[in-house]
Amino acid sequence: DVKVTQSSRYLVKRTGEKVFLECVQDMDHENMFWYRQDPGLGLRLIYFSYDVKMKEKGDIPEGYSVSREKKERFSLILESASTNQTSMYLCASSGGQGHEQYFGPGTRLTVT
Amino acid sequence: QQQVKQSPQSLIVQKGGISIINCAYENTAFDYFPWYQQFPGKGPALLIAIRPDVSEKKEGRFTISFNKSAKQFSLHIMDSQPGDSATYFCAASSRSSGSARQLTFGSGTQLTVLP
């Protein structure tokens, strides 16, 4: 069974704080993704990585950065958290030419 | 700009009824169309998917209908059960960098099946 784990289920941070969201997958997948999920907007891609140290911007990268130093781990960084970044953050991974993305349980981030 | 439009936003169906969710897309680069199911507190999980060279795909009570010329596809849930109550997302996939395929999601449909 593919397992994608995210470091926290719930997180509360203050405006201006630097926030790290961690994601780990155990299936040796090449590709990893970060989405945010908001009611009525579905899932929107923030960044993805197709190899170690390789990253590409998704649809809404502003205010975010990512890091992938090891194949199994993909981090999302909010350099200076703002209230409009309050959301559910979902990590996913996929392997090779596989179409299926496997999702973690999500981190609900609240920025106050 | 939403590249995949999904409707309705919410749907209430009686047990045993048929649930229908519709999606439409514009980008002809999309070449794979999955549906994801999400239960509260969980991440989305792949439910069923279709390629554009097929007009219909059925897996148990779940069927995708695909109309390539209209750029529309839909999910039909036959004999809907309370356990089907979840949020459903349509998506469209396209090639991206490396081996990655990028998914563009619809806005989601919250399905409630009444007992």
Side-chain angles (χ1 to χ4, degrees):
Chain A
D1 248 11
V2 175
K3 196 158 187 184
V4 178
T5 56
Q6 295 184 230
S7 52
S8 306
R9 293 302 303 270
Y10 299 94
L11 211 52
V12 179
K13 295 292 182 180
R14 292 193 180 274
T15 301
E17 278 193 83
K18 191 169 185 176
V19 181
F20 293 86
L21 302 182
E22 303 283 338
C23 175
V24 177
Q25 51 95 3
D26 67 357
M27 281 301 292
D28 200 36
H29 281 168
E30 290 84 355
N31 310 305
M32 296 187 75
F33 306 81
W34 275 107
Y35 295 88
R36 63 178 281 175
Q37 180 178 4
D38 299 289
L41 296 177
L43 282 72
R44 293 178 292 165
L45 182 64
I46 303 171
Y47 268 97
F48 70 96
S49 168
Y50 55 92
D51 201 350
V52 174
K53 296 192 188 295
M54 304 304 289
K55 61 187 179 185
E56 282 215 9
K57 294 179 180 179
D59 299 317
I60 52 164
E62 297 78 18
Y64 303 94
S65 62
V66 291
S67 173
R68 192 166 181 204
E69 297 296 319
K70 293 185 177 182
K71 191 174 186 180
E72 68 272 16
R73 189 178 297 268
F74 192 33
S75 302
L76 180 69
I77 303 155
L78 288 66
E79 294 289 343
S80 177
S82 64
T83 54
N84 63 12
Q85 293 177 311
T86 291
S87 186
M88 171 69 81
Y89 290 89
L90 290 161
C91 175
S93 72
S94 70
Q97 293 295 323
H99 289 279
E100 182 173 0
Q101 290 186 15
Y102 297 86
F103 284 84
T107 295
R108 183 165 295 281
L109 172 67
T110 302
V111 182
T112 61
Chain B
Q1 180 189 0
Q2 193 169 23
Q3 293 193 51
V4 178
K5 294 185 178 179
Q6 182 172 346
S7 63
Q9 190 171 355
S10 64
L11 182 61
I12 299 174
V13 174
Q14 292 286 340
K15 179 182 175 182
I18 302 173
S19 304
I20 302 174
I21 304 170
N22 300 299
C23 286
Y25 66 97
E26 289 295 327
N27 190 346
T28 55
F30 294 139
D31 60 2
Y32 182 76
F33 299 86
W35 285 85
Y36 280 76
Q37 180 188 52
Q38 184 180 30
F39 293 105
K42 305 283 188 182
L46 180 66
L47 179 65
I48 187 173
I50 196 167
R51 297 184 186 277
D53 54 348
V54 175
S55 61
E56 186 175 283
K57 183 172 182 181
K58 185 175 181 179
E59 289 183 2
R61 296 183 294 107
F62 300 90
T63 300
I64 301 177
S65 297
F66 189 85
N67 185 331
K68 189 173 181 178
S69 61
K71 296 182 192 163
Q72 294 174 349
F73 57 112
S74 60
L75 176 69
H76 295 235
I77 306 174
M78 310 300 288
D79 188 27
S80 299
Q81 299 296 312
D84 297 331
S85 297
T87 301
Y88 292 81
F89 294 97
C90 63
S93 173
S94 58
R95 291 183 178 276
S96 191
S97 302
S99 66
R101 297 190 63 89
Q102 192 165 330
L103 286 176
T104 301
F105 285 87
S107 54
T109 296
Q110 188 161 351
L111 172 65
T112 302
V113 181
L114 301 175

